């Protein structure tokens, strides 16, 4: 998962949740709610919970700004969003491939439902390439691409895919998603 901070008056920052170290996950858990586990915090962030996204972004950002205090990092809630990384898109595509195999209509008719993942992807070019491979019958992923261990809900060919992305990712960067 990539958490994107898009301030109205600043540079877009991207935080790869996969880069969170064990000690940092412990800090994030305490910042959000001590009674929640790290997987629960990641699930909340994937569901766009601003408190979870803020805590994750803060801890990752603190790596490059050690004197940063939580009170000094209080973005507007709508400036934060969670997006799927490459591995999460691959996991989604594996599920979609199974659904396409059972789809009764022409494969190309599934394109609009599959395209809805583009709104959830940190790297839309990668997601589009995966959709094209799905429609061409060339998915699951190539051997050099390993899907995440935690499954992400797949698409429904009659409705939008789930916005919940369950796997973690991120380091701060202003470039494209580089988790693969």
């Amino acid at each position: 998962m990539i958490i994107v901070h898009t301030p109205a008056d600043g540079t877009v920052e991207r935080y790869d949740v996969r880069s969170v170290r064990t000690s940092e996950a412990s800090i994030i858990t305490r910042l959000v709610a001590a009674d929640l586990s790290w997987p629960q915090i990641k699930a909340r962030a994937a569901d766009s919970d601003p408190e979870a996204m803020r805590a994750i972004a803060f801890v990752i950002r603190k790596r490059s700004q050690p004197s940063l205090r939580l009170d000094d990092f209080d973005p507007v809630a709508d400036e934060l969003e969670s997006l799927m990384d490459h591995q999460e898109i691959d996991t989604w595509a594996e599920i979609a491939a199974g659904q396409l195999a059972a789809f009764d209509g022409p494969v190309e008719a599934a394109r609009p439902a599959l395209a809805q993942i583009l709104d959830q992807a940190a790297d839309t070019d990668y997601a589009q390439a995966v959709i094209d491979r799905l429609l061409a019958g060339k998915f699951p992923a190539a051997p050099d691409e390993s899907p995440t261990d935690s499954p992400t809900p797949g698409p429904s060919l009659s409705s939008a895919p789930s916005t919940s992305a369950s796997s973690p990712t991120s380091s701060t960067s202003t470039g494209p998603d580089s988790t693969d």
Side-chain angles (χ1 to χ4, degrees):
M1 168 185 0
I2 305 295
I3 295 174
V4 180
H5 176 214
T6 309
D9 59 349
T11 305
V12 174
E13 295 178 297
R14 300 161 66 88
Y15 304 97
D16 184 344
V17 181
R18 281 188 205 281
S19 74
V20 171
R21 304 189 63 72
T22 305
S23 58
E24 293 170 328
S26 179
I27 292 166
I28 293 165
T29 300
R30 286 192 308 269
L31 287 172
V32 176
D35 61 327
L36 295 178
S37 67
W38 174 237
Q40 290 170 315
I41 300 293
K42 291 187 300 185
R44 284 179 59 176
D47 287 335
S48 298
D49 178 282
E51 183 180 12
M53 291 187 297
R54 174 187 181 210
I56 293 167
F58 166 74
V59 168
I60 294 172
R61 188 176 201 182
K62 195 162 173 62
R63 294 173 187 164
S64 62
Q65 299 175 11
S67 63
L68 182 66
R69 297 178 35 140
L70 184 61
D71 291 342
D72 297 331
F73 182 69
D74 191 13
V76 174
D78 287 344
E79 293 177 349
L80 296 171
E81 72 177 319
S82 64
L83 298 173
M84 295 172 75
D85 65 22
H86 289 187
Q87 288 183 349
E88 291 167 319
I89 291 167
D90 287 347
T91 300
W92 166 86
E94 288 175 0
I95 296 167
Q99 291 182 347
L100 275 174
F103 185 60
D104 288 339
V107 173
E108 194 60 35
R111 183 177 292 279
L114 295 172
Q116 293 175 16
I117 196 68
L118 296 173
D119 292 336
Q120 301 168 39
D123 181 348
T124 55
D125 291 338
Y126 181 81
Q128 184 61 58
V130 168
I131 291 169
D132 293 342
R133 284 186 13 224
L134 277 167
L135 293 172
K138 297 180 180 172
F139 208 88
D144 62 323
E145 299 174 15
S146 58
T148 183
D149 293 334
S150 52
T152 301
S156 167
L157 296 179
S158 61
S159 65
S162 168
T163 57
S164 175
S166 60
S167 62
T169 58
S170 207
S171 61
T172 304
S173 101
T174 56
D177 177 20
S178 59
T179 58
D180 266 344

